[in-house]
């Protein structure tokens, strides 16, 4: 564990179907256009502006200090072109990065000595801002290692019927405390504190 005095909070942000899936078996997000789980981002008011509650939730992502993401997610997204909201991106992995991440994306760092080291680096880079954690497997690893502080679930009213689950396998029971619930027309947004 790091001895850093960082005030950063690590938060796993995931849109999830009611039956617990974060993607379909082929890595899409459901629906005809493959984006069903992210439709809540698009909610607008009558004037065509992003609804206030949605705008506030999206603003949280825009204010992150660092990203900790799984290799699978990073590669599927081509490392967001090396820039996600201007924040440095940390990828825990047992293998070195591919050419694009190694040479073309200076904000992307592959960390090969475990999830704890990757989180410590992300928190140090984030300072007093949040670390945006992504990926079901990475979230599970961070929980098991005791380095995940919060979980932000965007619970979408759809049943995908199969795919990749958010919490497929956990090595132990983990208690959570509900700290915030926001209802919007397209999702219920629940923030949990991980209690240790």
């Amino acid at each position: 564990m790091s001895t850093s005095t960082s005030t950063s909070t690590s938060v796993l942000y995931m849109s999830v179907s009611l039956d617990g899936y974060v993607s379909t078996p082929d890595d899409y997000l459901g629906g005809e256009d493959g984006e069903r789980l992210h439709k809540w981002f698009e909610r607008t008011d009558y004037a065509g502006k992003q609804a206030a509650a949605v705008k506030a939730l999206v603003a949280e992502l825009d204010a992150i200090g660092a990203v900790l993401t799984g290799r699978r997610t990073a590669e599927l997204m081509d490392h967001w072109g090396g820039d996600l909201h201007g924040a440095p991106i940390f990828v825990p992995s047992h293998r070195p990065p591919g050419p694009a991440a190694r040479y073309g994306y200076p904000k992307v760092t592959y960390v090969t000595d475990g999830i704890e080291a990757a989180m410590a680096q992300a928190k140090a880079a984030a300072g007093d801002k949040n670390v945006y954690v992504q990926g079901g497997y990475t979230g599970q690893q961070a929980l098991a290692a005791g380095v995940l502080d919060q979980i932000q679930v965007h619970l979408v009213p759809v049943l995908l019927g199969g795919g990749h689950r958010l919490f497929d396998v956990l090595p132990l029971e983990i208690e959570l405390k509900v700290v915030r619930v926001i209802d919007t027309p397209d999702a219920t947004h629940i923030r949990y504190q991980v209690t240790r």
Side-chain angles (χ1 to χ4, degrees):
M1 293 290 284
S2 169
T3 58
S4 168
T5 59
S6 170
T7 58
S8 178
T9 300
S10 57
V11 185
L12 175 67
Y13 291 88
M14 296 295 288
S15 294
V16 183
S17 67
L18 185 59
D19 51 350
Y21 295 101
V22 295
S23 71
T24 60
D26 54 1
D27 293 314
Y28 287 97
L29 304 177
E32 291 181 11
D33 63 355
E35 290 292 324
R36 176 64 182 93
L37 292 181
H38 285 176
K39 290 293 185 189
W40 68 268
F41 278 97
E42 301 172 6
R43 172 60 76 168
T44 58
D45 61 18
Y46 294 111
K49 296 180 181 176
Q50 198 172 43
V54 172
K55 188 174 184 177
L57 288 162
V58 172
E60 287 181 8
L61 294 178
D62 291 338
I64 59 172
V67 179
L68 178 72
T69 186
R71 183 176 188 132
R72 177 182 172 83
T73 301
E75 289 181 343
L76 283 170
M77 300 304 297
D78 186 26
H79 302 83
W80 299 274
D83 186 359
L84 183 59
H85 304 291
I89 300 167
F90 297 88
V91 184
S93 179
H94 298 295
R95 297 176 287 122
R102 186 179 307 144
Y103 303 115
Y105 302 147
K107 288 186 177 181
V108 176
T109 301
Y110 271 62
V111 182
T112 58
D113 50 349
I115 189 75
E116 295 94 338
M119 185 66 81
Q121 289 183 44
K123 283 194 168 191
D128 62 353
K129 296 182 177 181
N130 287 351
V131 174
Y132 172 25
V133 181
Q134 267 204 340
Y137 179 76
T138 299
Q140 290 173 44
Q141 293 298 303
L143 275 170
V147 296
L148 186 66
D149 301 314
Q150 296 184 349
I151 301 169
Q152 174 68 60
V153 170
H154 308 288
L155 187 60
V156 180
V158 64
L159 300 168
L160 291 184
H164 302 284
R165 289 192 183 275
L166 177 54
F167 298 117
D168 199 20
V169 178
L170 288 172
L172 67 166
E173 182 175 318
I174 297 169
E175 291 290 335
L176 307 173
K177 177 183 177 185
V178 176
V179 295
R180 182 180 74 185
V181 179
I182 299 172
D183 284 318
T184 62
D186 298 304
T188 300
H189 312 273
I190 309 169
R191 177 74 65 101
Y192 299 93
Q193 181 73 37
V194 178
T195 59
R196 307 215 197 298

